[in-house]
């Protein structure tokens, strides 16, 4: 069914921060979305910013790290359907950054912790788990939440 007006999806960027074969995950709290579960440093586009600009801003705001845009590599795109929103998610990987990793938003994050790609916590957000599995396998696009 077509809606009146032009369709406007949401967009978010996710940081795949890798060190020594491990990935940095954060445990969400007080956000209203998957609180207590592990996710990635991430955020919505503010508008009039690129995916690289968005994730560089979010990385500094959430984890205190500074990233050179040339170091970022787009590794995955997901088209995700939520009950009230539709998203395009861009996953960007980086292995070099400056600054010390620190929980900059303790009101929204209970911890930042390194995990092996092969041993993600059971309570990893499902769409992020799928994205990380696809990234590991070299798959660059996926869909989540759509009816079968």
């Amino acid at each position: 069914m077509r809606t009146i007006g032009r369709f406007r999806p949401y967009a978010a960027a996710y940081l795949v921060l890798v060190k020594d074969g491990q990935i940095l995950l954060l445990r969400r709290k007080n956000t209203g979305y998957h609180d207590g579960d592990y996710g990635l440093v991430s955020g919505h586009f503010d508008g009039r910013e690129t995916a690289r600009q968005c994730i560089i801003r979010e990385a500094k705001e959430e984890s205190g790290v500074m990233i050179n845009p040339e170091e970022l590599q787009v590794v995955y795109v997901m088209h995700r359907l939520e009950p009230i929103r539709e998203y395009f998610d861009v996953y960007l990987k980086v292995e070099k950054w400056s600054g010390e990793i620190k929980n900059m938003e303790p009101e929204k994050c209970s911890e930042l912790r390194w995990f092996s790609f092969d041993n993600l916590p059971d309570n990893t957000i499902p769409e992020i788990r799928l994205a990380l599995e696809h990234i590991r396998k070299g798959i660059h696009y996926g869909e989540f939440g759509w009816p079968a």
Side-chain angles (χ1 to χ4, degrees), residues 73-78 89 91 134-135 137-142:
Q73 176 187 9
V74 175
V75 291
Y76 192 71
V77 174
M78 178 180 281
D89 299 325
Y91 288 74
H134 281 180
I135 291 166
K137 293 176 182 176
I139 299 168
H140 302 289
Y141 172 79

Side-chain angles (χ1 to χ4, degrees), residues 9-148:
Y10 288 79
Y14 293 78
L15 182 62
V16 181
L17 191 69
V18 177
K19 177 183 172 186
D20 301 325
Q22 295 193 316
I23 184 166
L24 183 71
L25 297 181
L26 59 81
R27 192 168 189 187
R28 300 176 63 87
K29 77 172 188 181
N30 299 324
T31 67
Y33 185 76
H34 283 279
D35 290 330
D37 293 342
Y38 285 95
L40 296 168
V41 168
S42 62
H44 292 94
F45 286 45
D46 274 349
R48 304 200 64 79
E49 70 180 351
T50 67
R52 283 186 170 100
Q53 291 167 335
C54 175
I55 205 59
I56 288 168
R57 174 180 51 76
E58 291 291 348
K60 187 173 182 183
E61 290 173 1
E62 294 182 14
S63 66
V65 300
M66 278 82 59
I67 297 170
N68 180 335
E70 287 81 32
E71 297 292 340
L72 285 165
Q73 176 187 9
V74 175
V75 291
Y76 192 71
V77 174
M78 178 180 281
H79 189 184
R80 177 168 51 100
L81 183 63
E82 293 287 330
I84 60 171
R85 293 183 178 154
E86 192 170 324
Y87 278 88
F88 286 96
D89 299 325
V90 180
Y91 288 74
L92 298 106
K93 179 180 172 183
V94 70
E95 296 185 26
K96 293 180 185 177
W97 64 89
S98 61
E100 208 170 305
I101 294 172
K102 180 181 177 190
N103 184 358
M104 303 296 287
E105 296 183 329
E107 70 283 356
K108 295 193 237 177
C109 171
S110 61
E111 74 172 327
L112 291 166
R113 190 166 148 201
W114 295 99
F115 289 92
S116 166
F117 274 91
D118 298 329
N119 194 23
L120 298 175
D122 291 338
N123 59 332
T124 300
I125 297 170
E127 61 267 26
I128 290 175
R129 176 182 295 281
L130 177 65
L132 293 174
E133 288 172 3
H134 281 180
I135 291 166
R136 223 180 90 214
K137 293 176 182 176
I139 299 168
H140 302 289
Y141 172 79
E143 297 167 350
F144 185 88
W146 294 90

